[in-house]
Amino acid sequence: MDPKAVLEYAGKNGAKILDLRFTDLPGLWHHISFPIQQLEEKSFEDGFGIDGSSIRGWASIHESDMLLVPDPKTAFMDPFRDTPTLCMIGDVIDPITKQAYPRDPRHIARKAEAFLGFSGIADQAFFGAEAEFFIFDNIRFDQAAQHGFYFIDAEEGRWNSGREEHNLGYRPRYKEGYFPVPPTDHYMDLRTDMAMQMMACGLNVECHHHEVATAGQTEIDIKFDTMLKSADNMMMFKYIVRNVANQYGKTVTFMPKPLFGDNGSGMHTHQSLWLKGKPLFAGDKYAGMSQMALWYIGGLLKHAAAIVAFAAPTTNSYKRLVPGYEAPVNLAYSRRNRSAAVRIPVYSASPKSKRMEFRPPDPSCNPYLAFAAMLMAGLDGIENKINPGEPLDKDIYDLSPEELKEVPSLPGSLEESLRALEADHKFLLKGDVFSEETVQLWINYKMKNEVDAVRMRPHPYEFQLYYDI
């Protein structure tokens, strides 16, 4: 939609409130609301004033005034509000220079798309992310000087099989929750409601299903789109999922590893490049891929340790990315093999379906930053013709220790991935997509507020290990 069409859309739907959304550095959506009468055609140029001083990773108090300029292409009616509310995502603008705010994650994704066009390699990058999440009935957690705990409960959790009161059974076994029909799948109706709300808001849902873990692990797939649009869609996806669950009296988490001893939640990200309406990843090389696609994979594998500082960006991410378990920590590529960090799907021989899937990301990431980092790594691979090596078509988990030594692996902690980013980020600086200041800001923020904060606090399991030592 253009500005005029948005105003007509608002009138047709009886909108009374304008709600503008934007994303902080770690990846949380924020919003500010205005009476709809304040939205005019000139608003799409002039924007709305906001105070950015309390937004994580943004400006200090002395330079906090900012403008939020609505993007008319992102308009949708909020299905959860009692008062008809028109929502749009805004771009953050410096009111003095009238330039895009360099710390706005959406601006970084925009620059990555622009860099792709300037490169001449392609004019479109398509991304399709598969975000998994858990649906719980109750969550309690607290952290203080003398205590720290979390307690999760879910009606569907296998641990409730021995409960005395009102126990009907039908709970997925640990690591056996993939595709069971109801009543073992407790959440088909809830997922369908989520999918219907997504479609009402303009998302293109492909399918939904129960995932591997017990306790309501779920996946809802939405169709791929251009990189920026896919990042916008992921923010809307999370918003809708959380609000529908809340209406049912349940809670959703995109933490990658909330449960010990069962599968974590990933966000496998499919990627392809196109030029003038033609796919560039189809060819006569391995798995029907082009040489360009293999170089793109080479870039992802070379820079993977740095990429996961954005794509698996929490201390909890590395509870999922553990060698020998379900997550793909080994840096290899393969067709069909889901134990490789890069998988080449072979569902179809159509050139338009040719893509690669990067499997280490998880849904705790900021999609604007994670997608931009992946694209920049892939483009670096193409520019420098980085050889991804030989494909690994064996099951990586069955390799001998000698064979595994030949396969590099991802960092084992958030701190290691941040150190890798510190040592390897020149590929992100091309075209001023990421600035040196933004990369250092990310590293410092994550080290202080997450790595050090977790490191300084006793872990509950340490009491089991060491209390009587």
Side-chain angles (χ1 to χ4, degrees), residues 7-17 36 77 83-86:
L7 294 174
E8 293 174 354
Y9 176 74
K12 180 181 178 181
N13 286 278
K16 298 184 182 301
I17 293 292
I36 196 66
M77 294 298 296
T83 300
T85 299
L86 173 71

Side-chain angles (χ1 to χ4, degrees), residues 115 119 121 291-292 294-300 302-303 375-388 424-428 430:
F115 179 77
S119 74
I121 293 171
Q291 182 62 66
M292 179 185 290
L294 294 179
W295 287 334
Y296 189 100
I297 291 170
L300 283 175
K302 177 181 177 181
H303 299 296
L375 178 62
M376 295 302 289
L379 293 178
D380 185 67
I382 295 171
E383 179 185 344
N384 292 292
K385 299 181 178 179
I386 297 173
N387 185 352
D424 175 28
H425 62 265
K426 287 184 179 179
F427 70 98
L428 298 173
K430 294 177 183 177

